[in-house]
Structure formats: C-alpha cells, structure tokens
C-alpha cells in the first residue's frame, strides 16, 4: 500500500480539510476575477471612446480647413491681353517680377510721353521733369492692368532691375535708372516710390557704357554696390556708387585704356573680382579691388588674382592681347570649377577658360550681330545659340558649349529689326528655343519681301526636323521676352513690346502677352526635312503638352 493511501486511511479528516481549503481558495479567486472584470471592461470602453473622439476631432479639423476656411484665391490669368500708349516711344527693356504678390510674374517697362496712361494723376512736372519725360510702369501679368506708374527720369541711358536693398530700407529690390542728363535714381520695384535720387556726376561729355554692373558690397552697408563705366575721350572711366543710398564712393577713376560697351563682372578661381570689357580686338580688365583703392585711397577686403595681375601689368591692362576680329559680346557661362568666358568677335566665337583665358574651342563665324543665348539641346547639357549672317544668308546654329560641335543648324532668313532669340527650360531637362525670321522663305535675288513681317518660330530638340510658326508681326518690335509666368504650371508666355522705330517720332506703343500653349495650338507646322510619321495636328498636340520649368 502506498504511503499516500495509508496516510488517508490514518487521517481521513485531515484529507477532507485539505480539499475544503483548496475549494475555498478557488472560490476566492473566482470572486476576485468577477470583481476585476467590470473594471477592465470600463477601461476598454474609455479607450474606445477616446479613440473615436480623437478621430472625430481630426475629421472635423480637416472638414473646416477644406470647406469652411477659404483658400487664397489664385487669379485667373488671361491667355492674351494688350495695353496701348498713344503718342509715346519706348525702350528696349523688359523686367519680370511678382510685384503684387499673387504668384504670377508681372512686367516692368519704360515709355516716354507727355502724359501717363491716365490711370494715375501724375505728370512730368510733378517730379521736376520737362515734358516729355520717361515713365516707369508695372503691368499685371494676369490681365495687363497698370499696377503703378510714375515719371522716373528725363531720359534714360541705363536701367537694371532686381537690385537687392538693405533690410531696413523697406524695399526688397529696386530698379536703378541712369539718366542721360546726369540723374541717378532708385525706384522701389513693388511700389514705384523713389528710394533715392542724386546727380550722377558722370560729366556732360561722357558716353555711358552699358551695362550697369553690380559689384560686391564695398561700403559695408548691407547692399551690393553699383559701377557705371563711361567713355570720355580715349579712356574708360569708372564711378562706384552705394547700392543703398546712391552716394558716390570716392571719385571717378580711370581704367587706363580705350573701350566699348559690353562689360561684365568676372570672378576668377581665386575669388577675385575683375571688370572685363572689349577694347577693339583685345580683352581689357581691371580688378574691382584696384579700382576701389584708386578712387578712395582706402584698402579693400577684396582679392587680386596674382596671375591676372602679372598679365595686366605686362600688357598695358590687356588680358587677351589679340582676338580674331573686334570683340562684340562677352558672356559668363558655367564651367568646371567656376565660370568660363564666351567671347564673340566679328569673325569667330570662342570659349575661354575662366582662369587661364586659354581658348577651349573656336568656331569661325562670318558675321554674328546678336548676343548668343544659352539653352539645353540635350538633357542637362548646355548649348549656345549663334545667329550667323544677316538677311537671306542668316543661319541659326546650336553649338555644344563644352566642345563647340554643331548640334543643329538651319537657314532662317531674317530682318534687320528682328529681336534676339530666346529659350525656356522644359520639364524634360531640355529647352524650347524661340527664333525670329521671315514669314516665308524668299528668293536669293530678293533682299526683302514687299510686305516684311517678323515671324516667331518655336523649336524643340525632340523634333529636330520641325519648326512651328507661332505668330506674324508687322509692327516694329522694340523688346521681346519669353517667361514662365506661373512656376509649377504650363503658363509660359511671350511678351512683345512694339513702338516707333525712331525716338524722335512718337506714336502707338503696345505691350501684348500671348500664352505659348495657345500659340502652339494655332501654329503653322514648317517641316525642315521630308519624312516623319506624325501629321501636323499630332505635332501641335505634342508640343502643346510641353511643361516648362524655372531655373534651378
């Protein structure tokens, strides 16, 4: 017999007491479980209620933001508009800026007249000018309405916009106007109010050379400063002005050589700033540091480039002693490790290394009369547009900027008054190119058609055998620009400024906006080569779907 059974027989009551105690413990546990179950249930219901309450609040906030609180209204931009100014003349100047903060680009331009457009009660006499005088106006890119206009100068020799201003000036950017009669004026781009107005001190007999250059902040007032170059006798002179006050810094300084318009500011690999300008068939230069120290007698924190200084001192201020023909245009272009120089002469187009000034390539051209334009023929690969020749001999060339190789060429006869070509970036990392030419090809013995018309053509590298004729203009075109009016959208548009050819004969001045997409849909397809499976309408539809983008 087992010991357990023996124990049970000997002590039967003890065994029963154990079982009774065990049963009582089990009953106690069940009572505890029954007591804790309602508490856990209540907690679970509370968590569920909190979850649904939070979800309801989130949905309510989304509903309020989406349907009750109104979103800022985006103005409906008109595809086409026109504004006219009677008995006026205008200038080759257009600037784009979002003036009224509606996220659509607006246009700044100049016109000369005895009266304004009657939208604002201002006259030349209100600003101390004799009539006629030059008015500056800001035009809405949405519908062509005048945002502001005011008499700005008696007559204008140079004008540049988007100059940064100090934070405490109340203006984020300004337009700077240099008058032919000695005035130097800054205008708030957003309001038209005069920020400062001073005599320029350039001298009555001095010829003002374009463009107006923006140089580093030399007087430490928080704004870049300004440099105006003039030709007086056989020497180029430079005047430096404060960008925030317009006051002249120091006196007028000589650059020691003869020169012409077309200067630019170039930064070497060493970080030194140099003023470069054409002087006949040579490229002349002067460091900004040297000019500042010459006109003020004070030291500057700017740098000189030792290798450039050695060249300038040894060659009478000439960085490039001889080029193939007279220099007509200078451009800074992107290069490896800094900027290179694109130099256009009367006989060739050259790309110079931005530091050593050694030619990277040279393309012989018979006659380039317009400043080159940059764009992308291949994805993310820069090309340069060259207009070679004039009249019936004119040819459009697209050159690879890195090698000078011809990527595309097309004979396109043009008129003497044709505007400069333009380009606009597209979403496929190429560019749409805009060229001006004759409405129809003319015979080789006929120099001009009887009724000359300027025709605007669009070219996209994905269709190298096709041009689209977008528009035909018979009026005299003073300025032309293609711009993306609404970033992130397809709203690219052409702006045309037309007016009298002579500044001494006032007439009708018009500004017209055309949406590029609408021009494409109504365009004429010009096939440059036979073949191609797409019909004309398919080509229009394809190019009308192009998306445009702004510079990165």
């Amino acid at each position: 017999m087992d010991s357990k059974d023996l124990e049970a027989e000997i002590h039967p009551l003890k065994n029963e007491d154990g079982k009774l105690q065990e049963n009582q413990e089990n009953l106690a546990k069940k009572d505890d479980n029954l007591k804790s179950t309602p508490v856990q249930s209540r907690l679970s219901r509370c968590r569920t209620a909190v979850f649904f309450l939070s979800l309801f609040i989130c949905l309510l906030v989304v509903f309020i933001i989406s349907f009750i609180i109104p979103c800022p209204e985006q103005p409906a931009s008109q595809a086409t508009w026109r504004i006219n100014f009677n008995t006026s003349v205008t200038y080759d100047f257009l600037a784009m800026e979002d003036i009224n903060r509606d996220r659509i680009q607006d246009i700044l331009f100049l016109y000369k007249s005895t009266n304004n457009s009657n939208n604002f009660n201002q006259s030349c006499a209100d600003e101390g000018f004799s009539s006629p005088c030059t008015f500056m106006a800001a035009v809405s890119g949405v519908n062509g309405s005048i945002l502001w206009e005011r008499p700005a100068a008696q007559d204008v020799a140079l004008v540049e916009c988007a100059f940064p201003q100090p934070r405490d000036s109340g203006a984020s950017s300004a337009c700077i106007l240099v008058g032919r009669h000695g005035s130097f004026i800054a205008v708030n781009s957003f309001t038209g109010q005069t920020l400062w107005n001073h005599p320029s001190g350039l001298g009555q007999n001095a010829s003002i050379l374009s463009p107006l250059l923006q140089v580093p902040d030399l007087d430490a007032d928080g704004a870049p400063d300004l440099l105006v170059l003039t030709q007086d006798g056989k020497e180029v002179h430079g005047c430096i002005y404060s960008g925030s006050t317009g006051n002249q810094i120091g006196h007028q300084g000589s650059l020691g050589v003869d020169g012409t318009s077309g200067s630019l500011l170039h930064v070497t690999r060493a970080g030194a700033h140099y003023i470069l300008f054409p002087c006949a068939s040579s490229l002349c230069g002067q460091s900004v540091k040297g000019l500042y120290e010459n006109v003020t007698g004070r030291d500057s924190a700017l740098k000189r480039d030792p290798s450039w200084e050695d060249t300038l001192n040894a060659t009478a201020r000439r960085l490039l002693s001889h080029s193939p023909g007279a220099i007509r245009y200078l451009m800074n272009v992107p290069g490896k490790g800094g900027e290179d120089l694109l130099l256009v002469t009367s006989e060739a187009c050259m790309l110079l290394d931005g530091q050593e000034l050694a030619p990277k390539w040279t393309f012989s051209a018979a006659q380039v009369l317009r400043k080159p334009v940059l764009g992308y023929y291949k994805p993310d690969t820069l090309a340069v547009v060259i207009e070679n020749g004039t009249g019936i001999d004119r040819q459009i060339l697209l050159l690879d900027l890195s090698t000078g190789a011809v990527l595309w060429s097309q004979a396109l006869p043009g008129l003497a008054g044709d505007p400069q070509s333009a380009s606009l970036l597209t979403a496929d990392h190429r560019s749409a190119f805009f060229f001006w030419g004759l409405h129809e090809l003319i015979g080789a013995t006929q120099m001009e058609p009887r009724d000359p018309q300027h025709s605007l053509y669009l070219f996209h590298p994905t269709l190298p055998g096709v041009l689209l004729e977008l528009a035909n203009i018979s009026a005299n075109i003073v300025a032309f620009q293609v711009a993306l009016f609404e970033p992130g959208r397809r709203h690219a548009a052409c702006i045309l400024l037309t007016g009298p050819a002579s500044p001494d004969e006032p007439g009708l001045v018009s500004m017209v906006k055309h949406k590029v997409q609408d021009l494409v849909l109504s365009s004429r397809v010009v096939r440059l080569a036979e073949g191609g499976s797409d019909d004309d309408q398919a080509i229009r539809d394809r190019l009308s779907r192009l998306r445009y983008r702004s510079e990165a």
Side-chain angles (χ1 to χ4, degrees), residues 311-357:
T311 303
L312 289 171
N313 293 331
T315 58
R317 317 311 302 170
R318 283 164 169 78
L319 288 164
L320 190 66
S321 58
H322 182 72
S323 64
I327 298 175
R328 288 179 173 158
Y329 301 107
L330 288 171
M331 290 175 61
N332 283 318
V333 296
K336 293 182 179 179
E339 291 185 323
D340 289 334
L341 285 167
L342 185 66
L343 186 146
V344 178
T345 73
S346 57
E347 300 177 8
C349 180
M350 306 169 58
L351 182 69
L352 304 179
D353 181 270
Q355 178 64 35
E356 304 298 331
L357 298 181

Side-chain angles (χ1 to χ4, degrees), residues 53 101 108 455 522:
L53 180 61
R101 310 296 191 185
L108 292 157
S455 292
S522 61

Side-chain angles (χ1 to χ4, degrees), residues 20-64:
L20 180 62
Q21 183 177 359
E22 182 178 355
N23 290 337
Q24 289 177 349
E25 289 177 357
N26 291 336
L27 289 175
K29 290 181 179 178
K30 290 182 180 180
D31 290 341
D32 291 341
N33 289 337
L34 289 175
K35 290 178 181 180
S36 63
T37 298
V39 175
Q40 293 177 355
S41 178
R42 284 195 298 271
L43 288 175
S44 177
R45 286 195 295 269
C46 288
R47 283 196 293 267
T48 303
V50 169
F51 169 76
F52 282 107
L53 180 61
S54 302
L55 181 63
F56 174 76
I57 293 173
C58 291
L59 292 175
L60 181 63
V61 170
V62 171
F63 176 80
I64 292 174

Side-chain angles (χ1 to χ4, degrees), residues 527-543:
R527 296 183 182 271
L528 307 177
E530 296 188 5
S533 58
D534 292 338
D535 61 16
D536 289 359
Q537 189 56 48
I539 290 174
R540 293 188 198 98
D541 292 340
R542 177 176 172 180
L543 293 180

